[in-house]
């Protein structure tokens, strides 16, 4: 076949050759578009329906996104009439509607890709705990990937094993206990600022935006615990990541055209500049630590923070016989980006909702005050004290149950 094709091309003139090659390329591109936009979605649709699984019909390119966006708009069009912990109709109106319409197991279309939704505990356990690689993590949209990086959250197979092996030491219990003092210091600074605000003469009747304050608090804590002495660089990365987060949230509710991330639009160029700057900062921090260790100019190795712990673990793999398990600088940067998002937004939301629940349950405020005073007295809590705060742990778990940081897995 290859020889025949070469004979055909050699017998054509230059113009005819270009036309022929253009025809072949156009035909191949058209075939690829047909497979991705029509054939694959219809194949998945038939596979679901023949098993009795129902779901929304497929629309080319947009899928279920327009309906999802309209449901979200209606759900957020007006404030809640009363306090209710039944948040699914407001937070996930599409899941609420489609679940009622199609059953506990249903599918919908995220652009050209199908999404199978399950709510049965045993099926969820199978998917989340299966070790055989049957359930690959889906490839995220470009802005989500720029925000989180291709770290532990998105990698599969041997890549996941490698990242998990390097990242795990950073979250060792003893390592985290050593960071409690830094966390307490950041929290004390925030509370002192609140006291100063309340003490001002013109504060009467004003409010403190605790959502914004908790966002700044968790950003400070992540910057200190993840980057230590490189705190200022960490703060700059955090501010840039916040911008990317806003752009990614907007993109998630829009129709995505495959390949559009490569078009030099104003939004894409802005996102590229932010991502490039984030990588420049993190790369400079990592390279500076590598240089200090190479020159022997430090007594703490790569550092006692999360980044330093991860680099130390990576160095051990580099010196071992399993060098294929070591991470590149770019992979370490991706994990740093995951640190920022996973550790900042989720914790800030947890604090917001915990404070909200305590506000509407004042008797539990008194219970927690009594427990903190009995365990800690007037001292700033340390790791051992925190482990003895049983009621506090119950409140945190209940907050996570009612208002989990992630709506779907």
């Amino acid at each position: 076949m290859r020889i025949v094709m070469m004979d055909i091309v050699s017998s054509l003139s230059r113009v005819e050759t270009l036309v022929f090659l253009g025809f072949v390329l156009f035909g191949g591109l058209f075939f690829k578009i047909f497979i991705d936009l029509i054939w694959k979605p219809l194949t998945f649709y038939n596979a679901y329906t023949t098993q009795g699984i129902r779901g929304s019909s497929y629309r080319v390119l947009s899928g279920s996104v327009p309906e999802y966006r309209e449901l979200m708009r209606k759900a957020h069009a007006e404030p809640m009439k009363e306090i209710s912990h039944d948040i699914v109709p407001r937070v996930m109106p599409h899941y609420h509607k489609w679940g009622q319409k199609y059953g506990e197991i249903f599918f919908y279309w995220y652009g050209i890709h199908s999404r199978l939704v399950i709510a049965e505990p045993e099926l969820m356990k199978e998917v989340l705990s299966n070790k055989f690689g049957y359930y690959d993590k889906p490839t995220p949209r470009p802005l989500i990937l720029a925000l989180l990086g291709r770290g532990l959250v998105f990698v599969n197979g041997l890549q996941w094993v490698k990242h998990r092996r390097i990242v795990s030491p950073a979250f060792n219990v003893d390592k985290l206990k050593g960071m409690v003092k830094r966390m307490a210091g950041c929290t004390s600074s925030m509370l002192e600022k609140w006291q100063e605000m309340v003490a001002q003469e013109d504060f009467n009747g004003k409010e403190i935006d605790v959502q914004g304050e908790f966002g700044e608090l968790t950003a400070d804590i992540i910057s200190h615990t993840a980057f230590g002495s490189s705190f200022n660089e960490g703060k700059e990365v955090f501010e840039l990541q916040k911008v990317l987060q806003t752009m990614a949230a907007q993109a998630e509710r829009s129709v995505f055209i495959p390949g559009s991330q490569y078009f030099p639009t104003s939004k894409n160029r802005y996102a590229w500049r932010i991502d490039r700057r984030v990588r420049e900062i993190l790369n400079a921090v990592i390279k500076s630590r590598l240089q200090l260790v190479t020159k022997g100019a430090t007594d703490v190795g790569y550092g006692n923070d999360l980044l330093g712990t991860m680099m130390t673990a990576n160095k051990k793999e580099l010196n071992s016989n399993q060098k294929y398990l070591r991470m590149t600088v770019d992979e370490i940067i991706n994990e740093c980006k995951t640190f920022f998002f996973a550790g900042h937004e989720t914790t800030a939301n947890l604090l917001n909702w915990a404070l909200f629940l305590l506000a509407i349950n004042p008797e539990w405020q008194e219970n927690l005050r009594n427990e903190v005073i009995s365990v800690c007295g007037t001292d700033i809590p340390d790791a051992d004290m925190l482990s003895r705060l049983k009621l506090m742990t119950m409140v945190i778990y209940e907050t996570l149950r009612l208002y989990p940081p992630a709506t779907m897995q």
Side-chain angles (χ1 to χ4, degrees):
M1 180 67 183
R2 186 177 178 182
I3 296 174
V4 172
M5 181 66 71
M6 291 179 66
D7 289 341
I8 293 173
V9 172
S10 61
S11 64
L12 298 175
S13 66
R14 182 179 179 83
V15 175
E16 291 173 331
T17 301
L18 292 176
V19 172
F20 177 75
L21 291 176
F23 177 78
V24 171
L25 292 174
F26 179 79
L29 180 61
F30 180 81
F31 181 74
K32 170 68 174 172
I33 292 174
F34 173 77
I35 292 295
D36 289 343
L37 300 189
I38 307 294
W39 183 262
K40 283 185 179 179
L42 291 180
T43 302
F44 275 103
Y45 184 87
N46 290 331
Y48 290 137
T49 54
T50 53
Q51 297 178 72
I53 302 173
R54 298 189 300 156
S56 57
S57 57
Y58 172 67
R59 297 178 182 176
V60 177
L61 275 181
S62 62
S64 306
V65 172
E67 184 181 359
Y68 158 75
R69 190 166 50 193
E70 179 62 17
L71 289 171
M72 290 292 289
R73 187 193 65 78
K74 289 181 178 178
H76 296 167
E78 57 184 36
M80 296 176 68
K81 294 184 173 70
E82 59 184 12
I83 294 175
S84 172
H85 300 314
D86 184 17
I87 62 174
V88 175
R90 185 174 181 85
V91 178
M92 303 169 63
H94 57 300
Y95 176 84
H96 180 69
K97 178 183 177 180
W98 295 335
Q100 289 182 333
K101 184 176 181 180
Y102 302 120
E104 287 190 343
I105 301 179
F106 65 90
F107 64 90
Y108 67 97
W109 299 94
Y110 186 61
I112 63 175
H113 302 289
S114 64
R115 292 287 186 266
L116 180 65
V117 179
I118 59 175
E120 295 181 9
E122 290 303 316
L123 282 177
M124 294 165 65
K125 188 186 300 183
E126 163 67 18
V127 172
L128 294 175
S129 62
N130 187 279
K131 306 296 184 184
F132 297 103
Y134 298 146
Y135 306 102
D136 275 351
K137 299 168 186 174
T139 301
R141 287 189 175 182
L143 277 174
I144 294 293
L145 197 59
L147 175 65
L148 288 175
R150 194 176 290 280
L152 192 62
V153 178
F154 293 128
V155 291
N156 294 287
L158 187 59
Q159 285 291 314
W160 183 86
V161 173
K162 177 175 69 172
H163 282 244
R164 177 65 183 269
R165 190 182 181 104
I166 301 299
V167 171
S168 290
F171 295 95
N172 178 275
V173 174
D174 293 332
K175 177 65 67 173
L176 295 176
K177 283 183 178 180
M179 297 179 180
V180 170
K181 188 175 181 180
R182 296 183 190 175
M183 300 178 187
C186 294
T187 308
S188 296
S189 298
M190 181 192 71
L191 295 176
E192 289 172 3
K193 186 177 76 171
W194 288 8
Q195 290 176 337
E196 293 174 0
M197 293 170 63
V198 172
Q200 294 175 0
E201 294 182 359
D202 60 345
F203 184 79
N204 188 28
K206 293 183 179 180
E207 298 176 346
I208 296 177
D209 178 15
V210 293
Q211 182 177 10
E213 292 289 324
F214 284 150
E216 291 184 14
L217 170 64
T218 53
D220 284 344
I221 290 175
I222 285 291
S223 298
H224 276 100
T225 56
F227 294 99
S229 60
S230 308
F231 168 76
N232 291 329
E233 289 86 346
K235 286 286 286 183
E236 185 179 353
V237 169
F238 165 73
E239 294 298 332
L240 293 169
Q241 289 289 90
K242 274 206 310 185
V243 178
L244 268 183
Q245 181 182 343
T246 302
M247 296 178 68
Q250 294 172 348
E252 280 295 289
R253 300 182 184 180
S254 304
V255 175
F256 174 68
I257 301 175
S260 61
Q261 69 269 29
Y262 303 112
F263 298 160
T265 62
S266 57
K267 285 187 178 180
N268 280 347
R269 292 199 306 272
Y270 187 42
W272 296 341
R273 285 199 302 271
I274 294 175
D275 186 51
R276 187 162 54 247
R277 178 57 184 158
V278 168
R279 291 185 176 277
E280 286 174 356
I281 296 170
L282 295 177
N283 187 61
V285 172
I286 293 170
K287 291 291 180 63
S288 66
R289 296 193 183 193
L290 290 171
Q291 290 174 1
L292 287 175
V293 171
T294 303
K295 295 177 181 178
T298 175
D299 297 327
V300 292
Y302 295 111
N304 296 321
D305 48 33
L306 295 179
L307 174 60
T309 304
M310 192 163 58
M311 292 177 67
T312 301
N314 195 47
K315 179 67 173 179
K316 290 180 181 178
E317 296 297 340
L318 182 60
N319 294 334
S320 70
N321 294 326
Q322 297 177 309
K323 292 186 179 181
Y324 64 92
L325 288 177
R326 73 178 182 89
M327 289 167 58
T328 64
V329 171
D330 192 57
E331 288 174 319
I332 294 176
I333 289 174
N334 285 330
E335 290 299 344
C336 290
K337 297 173 81 170
T338 303
F339 278 169
F340 263 100
F341 182 80
H344 162 250
E345 190 74 12
T346 54
T347 309
N349 287 338
L350 169 61
L351 294 174
N352 284 322
W353 288 117
L355 211 62
F356 164 74
L357 292 175
L358 289 173
I360 62 176
N361 295 279
E363 67 278 9
W364 275 93
Q365 295 182 39
E366 194 61 31
N367 292 339
L368 292 188
R369 287 193 189 98
N370 292 335
E371 181 183 59
V372 170
I373 291 173
S374 66
V375 173
C376 307
T378 57
D379 297 330
I380 295 177
D382 57 25
D384 293 330
M385 293 178 183
L386 292 177
S387 65
R388 302 205 303 272
L389 296 175
K390 305 301 181 184
L391 291 180
M392 185 75 72
T393 303
M394 290 170 57
V395 169
I396 291 174
Y397 283 166
E398 181 65 3
T399 304
L400 289 171
R401 185 184 73 84
L402 291 172
Y403 301 99
T407 54
M408 299 181 74
Q409 182 72 349

